[in-house]
Amino acid sequence: MNLYMNLARLLEDRIEQGLYRPGDRLPSVRALSTEHGVSLSTVQQAYRLLEDNGLAVPRPKSGYFVSSKTLPALPEVGRPAQRPVEISQWDQVVELVRNPPRKDIVQLGRGMPDITSPTLAPLMKSLARLSRRQDMPGLHYDTIYGTEALREQIARLMVDSGCRLTAADVVVTTGCHEALSSSVRAICEPGDIVAVDSPSFFGAMQTLKGLGMKALEIPTDPLTGISLEALELALEQWPIKVIQLTPNCNNPLGYIMPEARKQQLLTLAQRFDVAIIEDDVYGDLAYTYPRPRTIKSFDLDGRVLLCSSFSKTLAPGLRVGWVAPGRYLERVLHMKYISTGSTATQPQLAIADFVEGGHYEPHLRRMRTQYQRGRDQMTEWVRRYFPAGTRASRPQGGFMLWVELPEGFDTLRLNQMLLARGVQIAVGSIFSASGKFRNCLRMNFASRPSPAVETAVRKVGETASELLANLQTAQP
Amino acid sequence: MNLYMNLARLLEDRIEQGLYRPGDRLPSVRALSTEHGVSLSTVQQAYRLLEDNGLAVPRPKSGYFVSSKTLPALPEVGRPAQRPVEISQWDQVVELVRNPPRKDIVQLGRGMPDITSPTLAPLMKSLARLSRRQDMPGLHYDTIYGTEALREQIARLMVDSGCRLTAADVVVTTGCHEALSSSVRAICEPGDIVAVDSPSFFGAMQTLKGLGMKALEIPTDPLTGISLEALELALEQWPIKVIQLTPNCNNPLGYIMPEARKQQLLTLAQRFDVAIIEDDVYGDLAYTYPRPRTIKSFDLDGRVLLCSSFSKTLAPGLRVGWVAPGRYLERVLHMKYISTGSTATQPQLAIADFVEGGHYEPHLRRMRTQYQRGRDQMTEWVRRYFPAGTRASRPQGGFMLWVELPEGFDTLRLNQMLLARGVQIAVGSIFSASGKFRNCLRMNFASRPSPAVETAVRKVGETASELLANLQTAQP
Ligand SMILES: Cc1ncc(COP(=O)(O)O)c(C=O)c1O
Ligand SMILES: Cc1ncc(COP(=O)(O)O)c(C=O)c1O
């Protein structure tokens, strides 16, 4: 961990222990610098981290104060990886993706963005316009690379993440799913070991399962991401082929890995000569501006395969994703060819139109603001309605909250009870290769806060309390 | 081979040897029945086969006559399979799918249907209408199975192929590509052996390559399909996991495998307990009505995975395909999930609309007629412009002609020369796992015959003649 992260953690502990209380003034930058023997800028970095995490609030000319809202404590860091495992949990995942959403159930479980924003209207217009064109461009086979106009826009957008790409570096895919599976298959053989952040997006893990890989789950800090220490140890012990992770606005934890740690991770990958599959699907939805850098942006020898899509920023039904596969371009192309041949043409053309027309940035701005509010509101509801001792993530982007209930709690059981009460959550165990995180769950705060959503979250909290009471009587 | 097929082949030989000449009256049904000791209906079946292949013409009340157009001889049947091979040819395939079509090149090489028919207008209208709907159904994640409304229509359409399916038996995929690769992955492990018809669609073969399978190429008759005799021998000799073939309106040969042979193939598969991946992507484009049955329609124990798409019947840019995976449903679902998660929503909804609205059948009728005319015209051009001794397939559906030049001819070289002259063809070698069929090529006759297409075909023929003259001087 870095100096500033250490300091931030220390201050956070003091806040959690009640040493500094909500509304209190925090020590000045100068005082902390003297006290801990670190530079002023290190202290400032630490305070900015606390600010991003909603713990400290700056007041002009008077320094930092403890946020007057108390936040639930952070989830605990998982235990160190034991060994590579076969991936299970497919049955639970299929439960989540098998059925169309029911109108009578509030879906807190799925990774669905809000698609009702008026800033999406130009996209619908493009789609309609394309359908009226005489030459029917949407009906033609696309090339294996994807539509040139779209790849140019993607390369342009990725400048904000620090990447210098051209259209020729980008391959369009059918969603980020195809980007991920084509990347894994481009590098690995069945039986190979892939190191993953843990908890981790279940789709990426099921991909490993489907392709016959083993997952080595690396403990992950809810604020700073995958543990580099544990990862280094794992790299020394096991013949890892690739590191697969979501460093920006992580799903499910919501953290943004600090820049320095991204660079350290890359250095590790170089030292052990492994590839990195970087999933950036929520990267453009960071609450801070400019958006965070990708690991790819530091990559000089093409070992990072950057995977993303417009599913979370625009809409998932379009199924337009992409990958910048670095030195693995030719293999990835082959894998994409056999998986779908090409991606649906019309959605690609419509997105290219939308981005080129300057509609993407305003849309993002609006969504980022909405999602940040959603985070604050959802966190507040969890604090209010969930049993004492509930821990929760502090997302710095995206629209997912990770909630941890006490050890021994069973969110599978919770989900079953909730379905009867008209609410659906994502159970924690699907975010682990081996069914860990059974006491955790993930909730979606993409839609604008409403009484219906509040009621749903309250039901989750109340049902959890009931279950917890049973659990505690059962364990005297 | 069946009795009637034997008889048809015998009559065909006699026509080709000039015993019966164009315009001649052929022996009466009764006479042949007596001569060969077969039933009247067998002779009638034989004549119908000759008729389908354009060799015989019925005249009311006066029997059958030799068609007055002489047709090029049929391509030769490939040599028996030697052993399973690793698949090569990716470089050639990527040449074909890498670049967007150039306006200055007549594309005879790609598998593109004619998308300019006015019968497609309602599809474009549906797409436009969906883009204007307030609830924006096209933006939502689809379920892993695909849109229910579309799966119902697919099940209904497949009745014509003899299949009794319900929506629950059908999984929508991103093109037939995804149907094929999900099917292979559902059954095989890397290193497994897959028996294929030969020549065979290059995409299906590259899928095997990408997944690390070996292909065992089974010789295939240009009129009746995969050799059951050679296949049986191969099944006895090798641990084949699955048979992959395109029995209806085969790509590239255009034959429709006779029903009895489909049944025999299934019996073989049962006896050796292997699965069948049946690619039916051109099945609805058979020139005869009703459309031919699928092998799947005879399948009682769920060992046939029927793969198809709307890419050839409607338009490939929509990327909507499907698979009816029989007993492999759960595995195929997992494989589809990891490959793309779900298929683009809006094209699915538009196609469901189109089929439900009764627009599919009239569209098919029109395209079938157009393609059959296209076949006759293209065949005539080949007869006229290609060097003597050129052989050609007699497609019974679809829009591809397979052309065979003398042994030793190199269509790779031909293609290079043609590109400079503004024409592109598909070279024969990509239709073989191991680069056979170098003296063959495939041409597309989907678009309405026009002077531009005629000129292009003439250029192919003339350039082939030049090359052939060189070849013959080089081999004295
Ligand atoms: C981290 C992460 N990666 C990838 C995906 C899949 O994205 P797509 O819908 O574009 O395939 C998701 C969606 O849930 C995700 O959360
Ligand atoms: C026999 C065959 N199967 C499958 C395909 C692929 O179809 P789709 O474009 O729907 O993926 C083709 C297209 O060329 C084909 O000819």
Side-chain angles (χ1 to χ4, degrees):
Chain A
M1 227 183 269
N2 280 352
L3 277 181
Y4 79 92
M5 284 160 53
N6 263 327
L7 182 58
R9 180 53 64 89
L10 185 136
L11 291 167
E12 195 180 323
D13 285 348
R14 291 188 185 166
I15 294 171
E16 277 177 8
Q17 286 154 20
L19 196 60
Y20 308 124
R21 314 193 34 105
D24 277 4
R25 186 188 175 140
L26 287 159
S28 73
V29 171
R30 185 160 304 276
L32 282 176
S33 155
T34 317
E35 180 186 346
H36 295 279
V38 295
S39 72
L40 293 177
S41 77
T42 300
V43 180
Q44 264 149 355
Q45 273 185 293
Y47 268 135
R48 262 199 297 278
L49 192 56
L50 289 182
E51 191 188 336
D52 285 348
N53 297 333
L55 281 174
V57 191
R59 292 209 199 128
K61 306 236 168 77
S62 40
Y64 280 89
F65 289 75
V66 180
S67 164
S68 53
K69 287 187 239 153
T70 45
L71 292 171
L74 283 166
E76 305 203 60
V77 181
R79 263 155 272 142
Q82 306 291 314
R83 57 185 172 76
V85 292
E86 309 265 352
I87 294 137
S88 55
Q89 309 306 315
W90 168 239
D91 294 349
Q92 297 304 326
V93 172
V94 98
E95 271 317 306
L96 202 60
V97 294
R98 156 165 265 151
N99 297 311
R102 273 167 51 187
K103 292 258 150 59
D104 58 333
I105 291 194
V106 181
Q107 303 277 336
L108 299 175
R110 292 212 54 189
M112 185 68 195
D114 185 3
I115 55 163
T116 64
S117 168
T119 47
L120 280 181
L123 183 69
M124 304 308 287
K125 282 217 191 85
S126 285
L127 281 168
R129 203 178 321 116
L130 286 163
S131 308
R132 284 192 309 264
R133 262 175 57 181
Q134 279 299 325
D135 56 345
M136 304 195 271
L139 298 189
H140 287 268
Y141 264 120
D142 185 22
T143 74
I144 185 174
Y145 283 102
T147 303
E148 176 86 12
L150 178 63
R151 287 153 58 221
E152 272 163 15
Q153 294 306 321
I154 290 170
R156 201 174 61 68
L157 289 179
M158 278 299 100
V159 171
D160 287 355
S161 86
C163 287
R164 265 180 273 171
L165 300 174
T166 69
D169 301 313
V170 176
V171 179
V172 176
T173 56
T174 301
C176 189
H177 264 267
E178 191 178 37
L180 291 170
S181 63
S182 300
S183 295
V184 174
R185 286 200 301 197
I187 306 172
C188 299
E189 306 283 323
D192 280 351
I193 302 172
V194 178
V196 298
D197 45 6
S198 175
S200 195
F201 167 52
F202 49 83
M205 220 128 44
Q206 289 304 318
T207 298
L208 300 182
K209 176 183 175 64
L211 303 175
M213 316 295 158
K214 294 205 174 98
L216 187 56
E217 303 187 281
I218 309 293
T220 296
D221 183 278
L223 289 182
T224 59
I226 194 164
S227 158
L228 297 177
E229 300 69 22
L231 179 62
E232 182 168 3
L233 217 67
L235 285 163
E236 276 161 7
Q237 279 191 327
W238 301 98
I240 290 168
K241 263 293 186 50
V242 49
I243 306 163
Q244 176 177 294
L245 79 174
T246 308
N248 289 326
C249 318
N250 176 270
N251 174 11
L253 281 169
Y255 59 79
I256 293 172
M257 205 172 160
E259 233 169 66
R261 290 178 78 78
K262 286 175 181 154
Q263 285 172 292
Q264 287 159 24
L265 181 92
L266 185 62
T267 309
L268 266 185
Q270 282 163 338
R271 200 171 104 217
F272 289 90
D273 195 19
V274 299
I276 296 175
I277 297 179
E278 177 178 24
D279 184 340
D280 189 55
V281 82
Y282 295 95
D284 279 352
L285 293 175
Y287 308 145
T288 45
Y289 188 84
R291 57 146 291 163
R293 286 186 68 158
T294 48
I295 301 174
K296 175 86 179 172
S297 72
F298 301 107
D299 179 30
L300 294 177
D301 58 2
R303 69 175 65 244
V304 181
L305 301 96
L306 180 63
C307 299
S308 192
S309 82
F310 293 98
S311 297
K312 309 302 176 179
T313 48
L314 299 180
L318 302 167
R319 305 312 296 132
V320 176
W322 52 271
V323 50
R327 62 162 86 145
Y328 302 98
L329 183 77
E330 283 299 318
R331 286 281 298 157
V332 165
L333 265 187
H334 196 174
M335 292 306 139
K336 180 208 164 164
Y337 178 68
I338 73 175
S339 119
T340 58
S342 56
T343 298
T345 311
Q346 190 145 326
Q348 291 186 66
L349 295 171
I351 294 176
D353 253 24
F354 183 82
V355 180
E356 208 185 336
H359 304 296
Y360 187 69
E361 291 301 341
H363 172 70
L364 275 191
R365 268 202 302 281
R366 183 184 170 110
M367 300 324 289
R368 280 195 291 251
T369 310
Q370 173 174 333
Y371 294 153
Q372 185 165 14
R373 284 211 198 105
R375 172 199 65 178
D376 292 343
Q377 183 59 79
M378 182 66 91
T379 307
E380 173 53 20
W381 286 335
V382 166
R383 201 192 53 74
R384 197 179 304 162
Y385 299 125
F386 274 57
T390 299
R391 293 160 173 269
S393 60
R394 294 196 192 128
Q396 292 161 53
F399 43 77
M400 309 284 205
L401 193 75
W402 179 255
V403 176
E404 185 181 304
L405 289 148
E407 196 74 47
F409 190 91
D410 180 3
T411 48
L412 269 177
R413 180 90 191 80
L414 174 66
N415 195 33
Q416 277 158 7
M417 291 177 63
L418 283 172
L419 281 178
R421 299 177 186 187
V423 186
Q424 184 235 37
I425 54 167
V427 300
S429 49
I430 58 177
F431 297 88
S432 158
S434 50
K436 289 190 285 188
F437 309 116
R438 277 189 82 120
N439 56 327
C440 300
L441 61 97
R442 192 193 68 180
M443 292 190 295
N444 179 314
F445 52 78
S447 62
R448 262 158 302 193
S450 71
V453 179
E454 178 169 7
T455 307
V457 179
R458 188 165 48 72
K459 282 186 194 168
V460 182
E462 288 172 357
T463 314
S465 299
E466 282 173 41
L467 269 176
L468 196 62
N470 292 348
L471 185 72
Q472 278 154 354
T473 28
Q475 297 179 335
Chain B
M1 229 183 270
N2 279 352
L3 278 181
Y4 79 91
M5 283 161 53
N6 262 326
L7 183 57
R9 180 53 65 90
L10 185 138
L11 290 168
E12 196 181 321
D13 285 348
R14 290 187 185 167
I15 294 170
E16 277 178 6
Q17 288 153 17
L19 195 62
Y20 308 125
R21 315 196 31 108
D24 276 5
R25 183 184 177 143
L26 287 159
S28 73
V29 171
R30 186 160 304 276
L32 282 175
S33 154
T34 317
E35 180 186 345
H36 295 279
V38 295
S39 72
L40 293 177
S41 77
T42 300
V43 180
Q44 264 150 356
Q45 273 185 293
Y47 269 136
R48 260 198 301 275
L49 191 57
L50 289 182
E51 193 188 334
D52 284 348
N53 296 333
L55 282 174
V57 191
R59 293 210 198 127
K61 304 239 168 76
S62 37
Y64 280 88
F65 290 75
V66 179
S67 163
S68 53
K69 285 189 242 153
T70 44
L71 292 171
L74 283 167
E76 306 203 59
V77 180
R79 262 156 272 142
Q82 306 289 316
R83 57 186 173 76
V85 292
E86 309 266 352
I87 294 138
S88 54
Q89 309 303 315
W90 168 240
D91 294 349
Q92 296 304 324
V93 172
V94 100
E95 270 317 305
L96 202 60
V97 294
R98 157 165 265 151
N99 297 312
R102 273 167 50 187
K103 292 258 149 59
D104 57 332
I105 291 194
V106 181
Q107 302 277 335
L108 299 176
R110 293 213 51 190
M112 186 67 196
D114 185 2
I115 56 162
T116 64
S117 168
T119 48
L120 280 181
L123 183 69
M124 303 309 287
K125 281 217 191 84
S126 286
L127 281 168
R129 204 180 318 118
L130 285 162
S131 308
R132 283 192 310 264
R133 262 174 58 179
Q134 280 299 326
D135 56 344
M136 304 194 271
L139 298 189
H140 287 268
Y141 265 121
D142 185 22
T143 73
I144 185 174
Y145 283 101
T147 303
E148 177 86 12
L150 178 62
R151 287 153 60 222
E152 272 164 15
Q153 294 306 321
I154 290 169
R156 201 174 62 69
L157 289 178
M158 278 299 100
V159 171
D160 288 355
S161 86
C163 286
R164 266 179 273 170
L165 301 174
T166 69
D169 301 314
V170 176
V171 179
V172 176
T173 56
T174 301
C176 189
H177 264 268
E178 190 178 38
L180 291 170
S181 63
S182 300
S183 295
V184 173
R185 286 199 302 195
I187 305 173
C188 298
E189 307 283 324
D192 279 351
I193 301 172
V194 179
V196 298
D197 45 8
S198 175
S200 197
F201 167 51
F202 50 83
M205 219 128 43
Q206 289 303 319
T207 297
L208 300 182
K209 176 182 175 65
L211 302 175
M213 315 295 158
K214 294 206 173 98
L216 187 57
E217 303 187 282
I218 309 293
T220 295
D221 182 278
L223 289 182
T224 60
I226 194 166
S227 159
L228 297 177
E229 299 69 22
L231 179 63
E232 183 168 1
L233 217 66
L235 285 163
E236 277 162 7
Q237 279 191 329
W238 301 99
I240 290 168
K241 263 292 185 51
V242 49
I243 305 161
Q244 174 177 294
L245 78 175
T246 307
N248 289 326
C249 317
N250 175 270
N251 174 10
L253 282 169
Y255 59 80
I256 294 172
M257 203 173 161
E259 232 169 69
R261 289 178 77 79
K262 286 176 181 155
Q263 285 172 292
Q264 287 159 24
L265 180 91
L266 184 62
T267 308
L268 266 185
Q270 282 163 337
R271 201 170 102 216
F272 289 90
D273 196 18
V274 299
I276 296 174
I277 297 179
E278 177 178 22
D279 184 341
D280 190 54
V281 83
Y282 294 95
D284 279 352
L285 293 175
Y287 307 145
T288 44
Y289 188 84
R291 60 146 287 164
R293 287 186 68 158
T294 48
I295 300 173
K296 177 84 176 172
S297 72
F298 301 106
D299 179 28
L300 293 177
D301 57 3
R303 69 175 65 243
V304 181
L305 301 95
L306 181 63
C307 298
S308 192
S309 82
F310 293 100
S311 297
K312 309 302 176 180
T313 48
L314 299 180
L318 302 166
R319 307 310 297 135
V320 175
W322 52 272
V323 50
R327 61 162 86 144
Y328 302 98
L329 182 77
E330 282 300 318
R331 287 279 300 157
V332 165
L333 264 187
H334 196 174
M335 295 303 139
K336 179 207 163 165
Y337 177 68
I338 71 175
S339 117
T340 58
S342 56
T343 299
T345 311
Q346 188 144 327
Q348 291 187 65
L349 295 171
I351 295 177
D353 250 26
F354 183 83
V355 180
E356 208 185 336
H359 303 296
Y360 187 69
E361 291 302 339
H363 172 70
L364 275 190
R365 267 201 304 279
R366 183 184 169 112
M367 300 324 290
R368 281 196 291 252
T369 310
Q370 173 175 330
Y371 294 152
Q372 185 165 16
R373 284 212 198 105
R375 172 198 65 181
D376 293 342
Q377 183 60 75
M378 182 66 91
T379 308
E380 173 54 21
W381 286 336
V382 166
R383 200 191 55 73
R384 199 180 303 163
Y385 298 124
F386 274 58
T390 299
R391 293 160 174 269
S393 61
R394 296 197 190 125
Q396 292 162 52
F399 42 76
M400 309 285 204
L401 193 76
W402 179 254
V403 175
E404 185 182 304
L405 289 147
E407 197 73 46
F409 190 91
D410 180 2
T411 49
L412 269 177
R413 181 90 193 79
L414 174 67
N415 196 32
Q416 276 157 7
M417 291 178 63
L418 283 172
L419 282 178
R421 300 178 186 187
V423 187
Q424 183 236 38
I425 54 168
V427 299
S429 49
I430 59 178
F431 298 87
S432 159
S434 51
K436 289 191 285 187
F437 309 117
R438 276 189 83 118
N439 56 327
C440 300
L441 62 97
R442 191 193 71 180
M443 292 190 294
N444 180 315
F445 52 77
S447 62
R448 262 157 302 192
S450 70
V453 180
E454 178 169 7
T455 307
V457 179
R458 187 165 49 71
K459 280 186 194 165
V460 182
E462 287 170 358
T463 314
S465 298
E466 283 172 39
L467 268 176
L468 197 61
N470 293 349
L471 185 71
Q472 279 154 355
T473 28
Q475 298 177 333

